[in-house]
Amino acid sequence: MEAAIAEKEAGMTEWNDDRLDEFRERVDGIDRKMDEGFGMVRKELTRIDQKIDNKFDAFYRLMLQAAVGLIVGILGLLGVLIGVVGAQV
């Protein structure tokens, strides 16, 4: 029994050209699958990056509008104060 196992193990450790070619094909197949997977991940990350950029653009626009609104409000208040002080004098 041990002799049969030893023979089977000896046959499994020998790497002939056919086995090496088969191994190379398997590894190439894995490389192709990984490249396809990374390609899909890259597309998804690009899409997410575009969504984030759009959100930041919208946030920037909102902040700019709020700043302009505050400046207009402060200038209006300053005009009213100048008018009140001018009317008192």
Side-chain angles (χ1 to χ4, degrees), residues 47-87:
R47 205 176 86 203
I48 290 171
D49 189 40
Q50 289 172 349
K51 283 183 179 180
I52 290 173
D53 285 347
N54 291 340
K55 298 274 184 185
F56 274 116
D57 289 345
F59 179 71
Y60 175 73
R61 193 176 316 111
L62 179 66
M63 293 304 291
L64 187 61
Q65 289 172 348
V68 168
L70 284 173
I71 290 171
V72 168
I74 290 172
L75 289 176
L77 181 62
L78 183 63
V80 168
L81 289 176
I82 289 174
V84 169
V85 170

Side-chain angles (χ1 to χ4, degrees), residues 2 5 14 16 21 23-25 27 36 38 49 87:
E2 291 178 9
I5 293 173
E14 293 177 11
N16 57 21
D21 290 341
F23 180 71
R24 182 178 40 89
E25 289 174 8
V27 170
E36 290 171 4
F38 283 127
D49 189 40

